[in-house]
Amino acid sequence: MPTAYDDISLAYQVVHGELTVKKHAEEFTYLNLLGDVQGKTVLDLACGEGRFSRTIKRQGARQVVGVDISAGMIELARQAEKQRPLGISYIHSDVAALGTIGSFDMVSAAFLFNYAASKEALLALCRTAYNNLKAGGQLVASINATPLFPPRNDQATRKYGYLVHSPSPLHEGDAVEYAFFTGSHAIRLFNVHWSRATYEWALREAGFGACRWQSPTVSQQGLEQHGDEFWRDFLREPNFICLGACRT
Ligand SMILES: C[S@@+](CC[C@H](N)C(=O)[O-])C[C@H]1O[C@@H](n2cnc3c(N)ncnc32)[C@H](O)[C@@H]1O
């Protein structure tokens, strides 16, 4: 079945490759939270076109498996693998329907949970993450429509290459619209807002131990290139948040 990402897969790849905020804040924060992947087995849920799958494998992971519901995104990931083989395998599947395919050291879920259309759907995604981890294994995730910072509906984020549109006041399950743009490409995404309590409930219900929330940080290079003032608005109200949780 076609998904929203099939139509924007190429533009998504370009936009994410070019946006300053992606490189210096989002990837930087996420990869720091993933930490040392040397020798580890990693399941990358909602891998998209494989940007984190490839980085994780290049950083020395022993095995990386990427999963995504979008045929277009998986096709791009497989093309990249064909052009520069890293030994990553990609599965075209809904994470909720994946079942248990292994006992991984780590599960990565970058911008997956904010696609859950209901609390039950969120729980199903968390259960897949849990069931594919070995005891002591780590889940690392990033989330848009963040439960910790209310999405901003103003123009202050234009300088970062994105705008947000969300209902005010924002309720559980509401759609938050993001427009990301560079000089040449633009994409529009809709994510679902869930509260911090709902995320923590779903993770706990799936079996995870305490959840650790991680606000974005900016790389030294990003600070030097753009200056503290450039990052001030973003750091005060970032558009995403990361979390880590452990299978006990
Ligand atoms: C914003 S992209 C993130 C891709 C990649 N993790 C990254 O950070 O570049 C969100 C991805 O989640 C995928 N996705 C959404 N719901 C999914 C589900 N239930 N199962 C698998 N993939 C899903 C979409 O197809 C899309 O590729």
Side-chain angles (χ1 to χ4, degrees), residues 3 5 12 16 26 45-49 51-52 67-70 73 93-96 110-112 115 125 189:
T3 79
Y5 273 86
Y12 179 91
H16 276 64
E26 188 229 304
L45 298 178
C47 63
E49 49 76 42
R51 69 180 171 130
F52 282 127
V67 178
D68 202 279
I69 198 171
S70 160
M73 294 296 248
S93 172
D94 182 343
V95 165
F111 304 116
L112 168 66
Y115 284 95
L125 298 176
L189 303 173

Side-chain angles (χ1 to χ4, degrees), residues 138-178:
Q138 292 286 335
L139 165 69
V140 169
S142 54
I143 296 169
N144 265 346
T146 148
L148 300 201
F149 303 98
R152 326 182 41 129
N153 284 308
D154 60 24
Q155 296 288 319
T157 60
R158 187 173 278 284
K159 62 177 177 279
Y160 305 121
Y162 69 86
L163 290 172
V164 186
H165 188 68
S166 69
S168 180
L170 187 63
H171 298 294
E172 293 260 65
D174 279 350
V176 177
E177 180 185 354
Y178 288 89

Side-chain angles (χ1 to χ4, degrees), residues 24-95:
H24 291 301
E26 188 229 304
E27 287 182 15
F28 178 72
T29 308
Y30 196 70
L31 293 172
N32 269 347
L33 196 59
L34 273 168
D36 184 8
V37 295
Q38 189 77 33
K40 298 207 169 128
T41 58
V42 183
L43 178 61
D44 187 14
L45 298 178
C47 63
E49 49 76 42
R51 69 180 171 130
F52 282 127
S53 307
R54 290 188 292 277
T55 303
I56 292 166
K57 192 70 173 68
R58 287 197 186 105
Q59 289 187 350
R62 179 157 54 85
Q63 183 198 9
V64 178
V65 178
V67 178
D68 202 279
I69 198 171
S70 160
M73 294 296 248
I74 285 289
E75 177 56 25
L76 284 180
R78 285 182 177 149
Q79 275 173 21
E81 177 65 23
K82 208 166 162 189
Q83 279 160 12
R84 286 204 184 77
L86 292 167
I88 303 169
S89 47
Y90 291 103
I91 300 173
H92 177 212
S93 172
D94 182 343
V95 165

Side-chain angles (χ1 to χ4, degrees), residues 2 5 11 16 23 35 37 48 55 75 77 98 100 102 108 128-129 157 181 183-184 190 217 229:
Y5 273 86
H16 276 64
K23 178 176 170 201
V37 295
T55 303
E75 177 56 25
L98 184 68
T100 305
S108 157
T128 298
T157 60
F181 40 86
S184 59
F190 289 90
T217 49
E229 184 53 34

